Amino acid sequence: MSGKGKRTLLLCSLLLAVVGAGYANYVITSGGFGAEITPTAQQQTAQKEEDGQDVFAAFKEERETTRTQEMSYIDSVISSAETDEKTKNEAQSQKLSLAANMESELLTEGVIKTKLGVNAVVTVKEGAVNVVVDKTELSDSEVAQIADIVMSQTDEAASNIKIMPKV
């Protein structure tokens, strides 16, 4: 395979991974997630929770696996001899952005857990932060506390933050 073909294949793989992660984020945080689950899947989810498997822990594990794959794709673009400087710089910038988002998510989840004593899943991307909290209902004061935590950890405006209870 020619150098240009390898680079194209590598960039397509990277793009596919990013699109897949974005779609997963959209499905999970769009509020339509529960509506898309079939009764069988709901029963399986309930069984997993009864068996002690936390949905939040499972999501975080899947997110970590996806992020590891994304970082691997980006690293392969950066280290490829066929990649031009512009593409390498873009890949390095994307890697730094992904690492910053990962750190923001981890810190925000930790502060929410420490201050409110509740598990949360936080997804961060430029211009949008989604928070799903392991409670069926949230009081106005809890929402305000979570919003304050998210704003301080991510520097996002309140209008860019979506806070949702676990359904």
Side-chain angles (χ1 to χ4, degrees):
M1 183 180 284
S2 71
K4 188 172 184 174
K6 288 179 184 178
R7 183 175 51 201
T8 302
L9 179 62
L10 197 54
L11 289 174
C12 288
S13 298
L14 178 60
L15 179 64
L16 183 61
V18 171
V19 168
Y23 177 74
N25 181 38
Y26 170 77
V27 168
I28 291 169
T29 61
S30 68
F33 183 66
E36 295 178 12
I37 298 177
T38 63
T40 305
Q42 285 176 340
Q43 291 169 351
Q44 289 173 350
T45 300
Q47 183 63 42
K48 285 181 182 178
E49 288 176 346
E50 288 174 14
D51 292 342
Q53 288 184 337
D54 182 12
V55 174
F56 285 68
F59 174 81
K60 289 176 184 180
E61 184 179 318
E62 181 64 30
R63 177 178 66 188
E64 180 66 28
T65 302
T66 302
R67 293 273 171 79
T68 300
Q69 290 173 340
E70 287 180 67
M71 286 293 202
S72 175
Y73 292 140
I74 292 170
D75 285 338
S76 62
V77 169
I78 293 170
S79 65
S80 174
E82 290 90 26
T83 305
D84 62 62
E85 281 304 310
K86 181 182 177 190
T87 304
K88 282 185 182 184
N89 290 337
E90 288 173 4
Q92 288 172 335
S93 175
Q94 187 175 11
K95 184 176 180 178
L96 291 173
S97 176
L98 184 58
N101 288 347
M102 290 167 60
E103 181 179 12
S104 292
E105 290 168 354
L106 179 65
L107 291 173
T108 305
E109 290 169 354
V111 173
I112 290 170
K113 176 71 173 174
T114 302
K115 280 192 152 188
L116 300 174
V118 63
N119 284 329
V121 170
V122 178
T123 58
V124 176
K125 64 179 184 175
E126 188 176 338
V129 178
N130 295 299
V131 181
V132 180
V133 182
D134 193 11
K135 291 183 84 170
T136 55
E137 291 184 20
L138 292 169
S139 69
D140 290 341
S141 122
E142 289 172 321
V143 171
Q145 285 180 314
I146 293 168
D148 184 51
I149 291 168
V150 172
M151 287 186 292
S152 69
Q153 294 296 321
T154 64
D155 293 326
E156 284 292 341
S159 61
N160 295 338
I161 301 169
K162 185 174 182 181
I163 301 169
M164 301 161 275
K166 179 180 168 184
V167 183

